[in-house]
Each structure stands twice: as C-alpha cells, then as structure tokens.
C-alpha cells in the first residue's frame, strides 16, 4: 500500500511500471517485482521480491484488493525450467555496475554514469548510427547520430553526455544537444559548447545529435493592431518555442513594464488591466518581447484603445 510519497521521488514511478510500454503507448502496467534501487515505500519485500523461479508447471494467483476489502483475483498456470546460469554478456556491450562510477569514450562521444544513476546493473553500448530523417526538415543537424544505451531503461538520476563538435564560433550559442525519436521528433536537452565539445546532463538513454536552434519563438493569438479593449478586463497571448523553449518574456505598455500571469501548460500569458495604472479612453502601445533558450528573440508591437 502506498498512500503518499515525496514529490522528489515522482520520477521513480518509471521503474515501478513496465517503462518501455508506457513510453510508447502511455499504458501503465504495474510490475509485481520490487525494482532494484527504487526508494518509494510501497513495497514491503526486499529488492527483487516477487520474482518466481519456475521449474516445471506452477499455478500463479494474483489478488488485487482496495482499502475497503474489495478484491479481484486472476489465476493461471505457467511452465518454466530452472536456470542457474548468469546472464551472458552480449557481444559489443560492456557490463555497468550501478554501484560504481562508469565512463566510456568512443568515436567522439564520452558518457559518464555516476554510481546510483542506474536502478540495476546493465549491459551497455554506445555507437554511431545511421542518420534519422527528422519530422522538421528545417532543423540543422551538425553532428553524427549516436545511440546511447537502451532507451527502454529508466534512470534513477542523470548521467553526463559529452560530444565532440566542430561548430563555427558565431554559431556556438545556437548549438544544443537533442534527443531524437524513432519517428524523427526532436527534444532539445541543452548543453554548452566549449573547447570543441558540447556537454549536458540528461536522464534518458536514446539517440542524440547536435542541432542548431536559429528559429525565433512565436507569439500567437495577439489582438489586431488598433483593437478596442475598453470593455475587456484582460488579454491573453500565446508564446511558444519548438526547440530550446521559451527562456523569458517582457512586456511594456507605453514604455512601462507590466505584469503577466503565465500558464506554462497552455503556453499562454495573461495581463489583467489595472485602471489605476492605465489611462482610460486613449490609445496605448503594447510591446512584447520573447526570448528562447538560445537567445533568439521575437518582438511584437500593437496599439489598442482602452
């Protein structure tokens, strides 16, 4: 039973479920085996508790019960053969002990996994792979594509990824490491270029490359120039950036800074008019400036009556 757990442990839910199935389909299938290294207090058995060693046919019963004693039961038979052999290390992979620091450098890529970042020991591999066709053909890729570990494995905490890259000085501030999905989607994870390398801390295995974010953020749903807002109490504007994300925004009315409420989930900002700060019955000028994580800026100006 687990009624509550610290917010800081929310990420550990990944290892209590069948993570790869959830990642691909959003299904949540609870694992009955207690995960190694998971601190959430819902399990009362030792690490690895719940594993069943089958030797021949066995009948298995699973009972799910709620706080009021209502129960659902499922029973089935399973057949297996006892196997005392240790896992065989696949060719081209290295064993990583989750209780020890690990580092590997190959083909211009260095990955450093601190002890405790993994829930359990794993077999690990990193390599250059064939380029993936991106869904957005305008994204500029400036490195090889590297497959880092097994994306189906959740991580307890972050590891360090460093990639060599040859980027002109004037473009360095636009560079970011990005996680590339099998469908060509791009998820920038940040990083900074120094001495011909770009580094970032990340909590996901997968395929990575370096891209340039030279696209400015967008400002959407802004009222038309010259609009009459005299009957409104507020106005809402959409702001977004599909690469490095919105880093900051500022806005002024007639040169005076104004306050917005930001809704990060919806990607909107809302300003509520203060009658004591803005003169009624005259025209005003609004200036909104939005900056993304790589310093690209979009500015919009609108006049309005209030």
């Amino acid at each position: 039973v687990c009624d509550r757990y610290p917010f800081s442990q929310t990420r550990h839910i990944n290892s209590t479920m069948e993570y790869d199935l959830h990642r691909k389909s959003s299904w949540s299938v609870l694992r009955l085996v207690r995960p190694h290294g998971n601190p959430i207090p819902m399990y009362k058995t030792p690490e690895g508790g719940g594993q069943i060693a089958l030797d021949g046919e066995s009948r298995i019963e699973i009972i799910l019960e709620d706080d009021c004693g209502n129960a659902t039961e499922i029973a089935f038979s399973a057949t297996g053969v006892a196997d005392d052999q240790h896992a065989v290390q696949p060719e081209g992979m290295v064993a990583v002990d989750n209780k020890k620091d690990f580092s590997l450098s190959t083909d211009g890529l260095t990955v450093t996994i601190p002890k405790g970042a993994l829930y359990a020991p794993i077999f690990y591999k990193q390599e250059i792979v064939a380029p993936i066709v991106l869904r957005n053909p305008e994204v500029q890729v400036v490195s090889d594509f590297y497959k880092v570990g097994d994306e189906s494995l959740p991580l307890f905490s972050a590891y360090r990824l460093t990639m060599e890259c040859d980027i002109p000085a004037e473009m360095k501030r636009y560079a970011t490491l990005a996680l590339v999905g099998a469908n060509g989607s791009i998820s920038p994870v940040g990083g900074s270029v120094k001495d011909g390398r770009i580094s970032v801390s990340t909590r996901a295995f997968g395929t990575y490359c370096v891209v340039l974010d030279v696209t400015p953020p967008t400002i959407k749903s802004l009222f038309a120039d010259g609009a009459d807002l005299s009957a409104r109490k507020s106005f809402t504007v959409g702001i977004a950036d599909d690469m490095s994300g919105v880093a900051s925004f500022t806005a002024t009315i007639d040169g005076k800074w104004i306050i917005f409420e930001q809704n990060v989930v919806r990607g909107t900002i809302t300003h509520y008019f203060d009658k004591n700060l803005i003169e009624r019955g005259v025209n005003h000028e609004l200036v909104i400036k939005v900056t993304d994580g790589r310093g690209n800026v979009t500015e919009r100006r609108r006049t309005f009556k209030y």
Side-chain angles (χ1 to χ4, degrees):
V1 177
C2 183
D3 293 326
R4 62 176 63 90
Y5 56 85
F7 178 79
S8 60
Q9 294 183 355
T10 300
R11 183 174 178 82
H12 301 312
I13 292 295
N14 288 340
S15 74
T16 68
M17 66 177 69
E18 192 60 37
Y19 177 71
D20 194 40
L21 178 63
H22 176 74
R23 185 177 63 87
K24 294 177 179 178
S25 66
S26 295
W27 279 58
S28 295
V29 178
L30 186 66
R31 299 175 60 192
L32 299 181
V33 176
R34 179 179 179 180
H36 290 273
N38 190 314
I40 295 180
M42 64 185 292
Y43 297 97
K44 305 304 179 184
T45 57
E47 289 188 352
Q51 289 182 328
I52 300 174
L54 297 178
D55 188 7
E57 183 174 339
S58 299
R59 183 169 176 78
I60 300 173
E61 295 181 357
I62 300 175
I63 301 173
L64 181 65
E65 184 175 332
D66 64 17
D67 290 340
C68 296
N70 303 301
T72 297
E73 177 180 338
I74 184 173
F76 56 91
S77 296
T79 302
V81 178
D83 185 0
D84 295 329
Q85 295 182 356
H86 294 291
V88 178
Q89 182 170 325
E91 184 177 354
M93 304 186 77
V94 295
V96 181
D97 187 342
N98 63 314
K99 297 181 180 179
K100 297 180 180 179
D101 293 334
F102 171 83
S103 184
L104 179 65
S105 296
T106 58
D107 300 319
L109 174 70
T110 298
V111 169
T112 301
I113 305 174
K115 63 180 180 180
L118 301 169
Y119 285 101
I122 64 169
F123 291 123
Y124 170 83
K125 184 178 183 179
Q126 62 189 47
E127 61 180 338
I128 295 177
V129 295
I132 297 174
V133 178
L134 303 183
R135 293 168 62 180
N136 184 353
E138 296 182 359
V139 174
Q140 300 180 49
V141 179
V142 290
S143 74
D144 290 317
F145 287 73
Y146 292 84
K147 189 175 187 304
V148 181
D150 183 350
E151 61 267 24
S152 69
L153 297 176
L155 278 84
F156 187 99
S157 58
Y159 67 95
R160 194 72 178 171
L161 188 155
T162 301
M163 192 180 298
E164 294 181 3
C165 55
D166 185 12
I167 300 174
E170 66 275 13
M171 302 300 292
K172 287 182 179 180
R173 73 182 184 92
Y174 299 108
T176 179
L177 276 161
L179 182 62
V180 185
N183 62 353
S185 61
I186 284 283
S187 299
V189 294
S192 56
V193 178
K194 184 178 180 180
D195 299 328
R197 297 181 177 183
I198 184 169
S199 299
V200 73
S201 290
T202 177
R203 294 192 292 185
F205 286 142
T207 301
Y208 286 87
C209 68
V210 182
V211 300
L212 298 182
D213 179 5
V214 295
T215 304
T218 57
I219 299 176
K220 303 176 292 183
S221 304
L222 187 58
F223 54 81
D225 197 40
D228 186 350
L229 306 184
S230 57
R232 296 171 60 172
K233 295 181 179 180
S234 66
F235 65 87
T236 298
V237 181
I239 58 174
D241 186 83
D242 61 0
M243 285 291 288
S244 55
V246 173
S248 64
F249 63 90
T250 60
T252 61
I253 292 180
D254 301 332
K256 297 179 180 179
W257 180 76
I258 59 174
I259 296 175
F260 275 92
E261 288 187 3
Q262 184 176 16
N263 188 318
V264 178
V265 175
R266 293 184 177 181
T268 60
I269 54 176
T270 301
H271 173 68
Y272 294 88
F273 290 116
D274 186 337
K275 297 179 182 179
N276 296 319
L277 298 178
I278 183 170
E279 185 178 355
R280 300 282 294 183
V282 299
N283 291 327
H284 302 276
E285 183 183 46
L286 168 72
V287 179
I288 296 180
K289 183 183 295 185
V290 181
T291 306
D292 70 12
R294 284 297 177 263
N296 300 299
V297 178
T298 296
E299 182 178 291
R300 293 288 184 271
R301 294 174 179 266
R302 289 290 189 275
T303 57
F304 65 95
K305 183 180 180 180
Y306 180 70

